[in-house]
């Protein structure tokens, strides 16, 4: 009879769903998994995340035999708690743009009335320049639009911090914990210094100073799971978790096409981009994770499929049947406003419609190319920060699209490696849980999935035409 193996659980509380994986702590082998949907919308009651977690964990066969658990999650969301730990209002998610004006105000205020000086001051202070996504700008919106709720806010935390805390046996407010990866997306914690900037938190909250989670070390235990006593790892933001799940190393650029489109890279030094294009985030291992994020990614293909009345497989076939550049039809995919470039009020645009291009195939091609052109800009922005690119890894729900896989190398101008479809955020959280359990200096050396390589000739002129149309419409 073989000895029972030790299991760990990893959770991805992402924008659209909660995913739970249960893996062998030693080998990383996938043992069980589950998933449950989150509600739509950019303001969500956190209780819905807990309910989805419970359903996903149940689908994964429960957690009774799990020795450690960690949570990766959508970044930046503002979760406000009162002194009793009750949620004050629906959480505002990373893709909620109502705080765009607050972001602009915070930049100017820190610059003493000068926008350029403000950008520099924010980049120097916390490695990011405020946009609507970041938690700090949402807090300023709260202070101005809902001052009573701001007054009631005794503590503020992020989606993964909150879910970890709710799962913990000890739910006193002072046990709230986060990690470097997610703290770096608040705009009031610096990845360079490893410290909170309470002055910036107070600036955002107009003088109020709610409690914030303790920033735990990469594999530090932050509590135990209520009911079972399993160890709780610190968790992290979803992008840092994906990097951990893929065992990304310096030289790797990860392109994730989920609800958000993300280009990120593991580096050993902090990045501070005064243009705000690249956010100077931290990773989940003690390194850094410079990152470009767009608001419009997988849902661009969802929307194109809806417009054409087809499923994703047909959308992909249609896109691959059209010529490169779609005969000049360009889709600027700012369907939810946009964060990079910072155009929170933008809408999408379709340019170049003619009798020749008014076909389902051309529209499908334009949707895939528009999505990929925005990500190609992100890769260039990361490279401009001095990041060297040895491998480009493509993950996220829309990385399952054959058209995305085949067209990305031509538009990125680089070969692309695609791991098998999987839940790399949840996997990274599971790997962190195993690391917390082992207490070792390094995360466990789990086998990495095989990578499928895609190459293509450069898609001549496609990015140039996209840039021309984007510049002409600005998506407005
Ligand atoms: N084969 C496919 N082609 C294109 N898009 C897909 C495909 N499969 C899933 N998606 C899309 O991927 C998205 C979910 O991706 P995921 O990475 O899980 O997102 P998130 O982590 O933001 O919740 C959904 O919008 C879904 O429609
Ligand atoms: O805002 C960012 C990164 O800065 C997003 O990447 C969110 O973290 C949401 O991720 P997904 O749910 O799309 O994976």
């Amino acid at each position: 009879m073989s000895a029972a193996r030790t299991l760990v659980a990893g959770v991805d509380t992402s924008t659209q769903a909660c995913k739970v994986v249960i893996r062998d702590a030693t080998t990383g082998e996938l043992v069980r998994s589950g998933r449950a949907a989150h509600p739509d919308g950019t303001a969500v009651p956190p209780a819905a995340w807990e309910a989805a977690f419970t359903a996903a964990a149940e689908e994964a066969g429960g957690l009774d035999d799990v020795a450690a658990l960690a949570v990766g999650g959508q970044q930046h969301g503002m979760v406000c708690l009162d002194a009793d730990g009750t949620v004050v209002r629906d959480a505002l998610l990373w893709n909620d743009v109502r705080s765009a004006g607050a972001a602009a105000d915070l930049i100017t205020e820190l610059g003493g009335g000068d926008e350029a000086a403000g950008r520099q001051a924010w980049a120097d202070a916390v490695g990011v320049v405020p946009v609507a996504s970041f938690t700090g700008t949402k807090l300023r919106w709260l202070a101005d639009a809902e001052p009573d709720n701001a007054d009631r806010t005794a503590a503020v935390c992020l989606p993964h911090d909150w879910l970890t805390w709710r799962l913990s046996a000890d739910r006193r407010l002072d046990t709230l914990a986060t990690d470097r990866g997610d703290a770096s997306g608040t705009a009031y914690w610096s990845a360079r210094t490893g410290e909170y900037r309470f002055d910036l938190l107070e600036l955002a909250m107009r003088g109020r100073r709610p409690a914030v989670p303790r920033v735990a070390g990469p594999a530090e235990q932050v509590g135990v799971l209520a009911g079972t006593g399993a160890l709780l790892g610190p968790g992290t933001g979803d992008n840092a978790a994906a990097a951990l799940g893929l065992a990304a190393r310096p030289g790797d650029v990860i392109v994730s096409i989920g609800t958000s489109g993300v280009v990120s890279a593991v580096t050993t030094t902090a990045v501070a981009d005064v243009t705000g294009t690249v956010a100077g985030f931290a990773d989940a291992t003690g390194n850094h994770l410079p990152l470009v994020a767009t608001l419009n990614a997988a849902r661009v293909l969802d929307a194109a499929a809806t417009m054409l009345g087809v499923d994703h497989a047909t959308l992909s076939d249609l896109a691959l049947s059209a010529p490169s550049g779609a005969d000049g039809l360009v889709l600027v995919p700012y369907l939810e406003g946009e964060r990079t470039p910072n155009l929170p009020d933008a809408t999408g645009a379709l340019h170049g419609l003619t009798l020749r291009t008014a076909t389902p195939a051309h529209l499908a091609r334009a949707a895939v190319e528009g999505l990929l052109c925005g990500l190609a800009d992100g890769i260039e922005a990361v490279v401009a920060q001095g990041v060297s690119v040895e491998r480009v890894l493509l993950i996220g729900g829309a990385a399952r699209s054959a058209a995305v896989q085949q067209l990305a190398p031509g538009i990125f101008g680089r070969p692309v490696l695609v791991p098998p479809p999987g839940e790399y955020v949840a996997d990274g959280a599971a790997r962190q849980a195993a690391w917390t359990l082992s207490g070792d200096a390094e995360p466990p050396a789990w086998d990495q999935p095989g990578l499928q390589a895609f190459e293509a000739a450069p898609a001549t002129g496609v990015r140039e035409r996209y840039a021309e149309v984007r510049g002409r419409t600005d998506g407005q």
Side-chain angles (χ1 to χ4, degrees):
M1 206 174 77
S2 61
R5 54 186 170 181
T6 304
L7 301 181
V8 291
V11 180
D12 175 12
T13 179
S14 76
T15 314
Q16 295 192 50
C18 182
K19 307 138 193 191
V20 173
V21 299
I22 295 176
R23 288 189 173 267
D24 182 303
T26 310
T27 64
E29 182 196 342
L30 181 63
V31 178
R32 312 189 299 261
S33 65
R35 172 192 188 98
H38 283 163
D40 274 343
T42 61
V44 169
W49 302 330
E50 195 172 354
F53 165 80
T54 303
E58 203 173 301
E59 189 176 292
L63 300 170
D64 288 351
D65 54 355
V66 159
L69 175 146
V71 180
Q74 53 172 313
Q75 295 189 249
H76 317 305
M78 177 189 76
V79 183
C80 295
L81 304 176
D82 70 12
D84 298 327
T86 304
V87 169
V88 168
R89 73 174 323 287
D90 284 356
L92 297 186
L93 307 194
W94 62 280
N95 52 355
D96 188 289
V97 293
R98 76 187 72 183
S99 57
D105 290 348
L106 285 167
I107 293 171
T108 318
E109 286 170 30
L110 199 63
D114 181 76
E115 198 214 330
R119 290 179 163 276
Q120 187 69 58
W122 279 99
D124 291 345
V126 283
V128 300
V129 179
V131 288
S133 289
F134 299 147
T135 328
T137 72
K138 297 177 191 304
L139 289 172
R140 167 56 73 85
W141 175 87
L142 185 79
D144 289 347
E146 298 180 354
D148 292 348
N149 281 339
D151 287 341
R152 277 181 61 209
T153 299
V156 61
C157 62
L158 301 172
H160 111 256
D161 314 342
W162 182 81
L163 187 57
T164 307
W165 179 75
R166 289 290 304 173
L167 299 181
S168 163
D170 186 348
R171 291 187 203 150
R172 287 170 300 162
L173 272 191
D174 60 3
T175 65
L176 272 169
T178 192
D179 85 305
R180 292 173 67 252
D182 230 4
S184 61
T186 58
Y188 43 83
W189 187 86
S190 163
R192 184 175 55 80
T193 65
E195 286 171 355
Y196 275 112
R197 286 290 304 259
F198 290 108
D199 57 327
L200 299 181
L201 177 62
E202 283 184 16
L203 178 71
M205 285 290 269
R206 295 211 183 273
R208 301 171 184 85
R209 185 157 157 183
V212 287
R214 171 178 81 82
V215 182
E220 191 182 327
Q221 183 184 345
V222 300
V224 296
L225 187 62
T228 76
L231 307 192
L232 289 175
T236 190
D238 54 4
N239 296 297
L244 186 58
L246 290 163
R249 50 182 195 249
D252 288 346
V253 168
I254 301 171
V255 177
S256 169
I257 315 181
T259 315
S260 59
V262 171
V263 176
S264 64
V266 175
T267 60
T268 52
T269 53
V271 161
D273 175 11
V274 72
T275 72
T277 305
V278 181
F281 295 161
D283 83 343
T285 70
N287 279 325
H288 295 269
L289 195 75
L291 178 151
V292 176
T294 69
L295 291 187
N296 298 286
R299 280 169 167 169
V300 175
L301 303 190
D302 295 347
T306 301
M307 281 194 285
L308 294 173
V310 298
D311 62 13
H312 276 300
T314 308
L315 183 80
S316 171
D317 290 345
L318 285 168
L320 290 171
S321 73
S324 178
D327 289 322
L329 187 68
V330 172
L331 182 84
V332 180
Y334 300 158
L335 308 188
E336 283 203 291
E338 190 40 74
R339 159 172 164 190
T340 315
N342 185 21
L343 296 167
D345 300 320
T347 54
L350 194 58
H351 188 88
L353 262 180
T354 62
L355 285 178
R356 181 186 169 92
T357 61
T359 75
H362 284 82
L363 179 59
R365 183 81 178 206
V368 176
E369 289 182 343
L371 163 64
L372 291 173
C373 282
L375 294 168
D377 291 345
I379 295 175
E380 254 179 33
V382 166
V383 169
Q385 292 301 311
V387 171
S388 65
V389 186
E390 284 163 27
R391 308 192 300 171
V392 176
L393 299 154
L394 195 62
I395 61 165
R400 297 170 195 229
S401 155
V404 167
Q405 296 172 350
Q406 290 173 39
L407 301 186
I411 291 178
F412 295 170
R414 305 166 188 278
V416 164
L417 298 170
V418 184
E423 297 300 344
Y424 292 99
V425 175
D427 290 347
R431 189 164 177 238
Q432 186 196 65
W435 189 11
T436 301
L437 191 64
S438 73
D440 292 344
E442 301 290 331
W446 287 356
D447 281 350
Q448 283 304 307
L451 301 169
Q452 193 178 357
F454 289 86
E455 293 191 37
T460 313
V462 173
R463 289 189 61 200
E464 290 78 359
R465 166 95 179 122
Y466 175 82
E468 181 206 327
V469 171
R470 191 196 53 201
R472 206 184 289 176
T473 67
D474 237 8
Q476 307 282 2

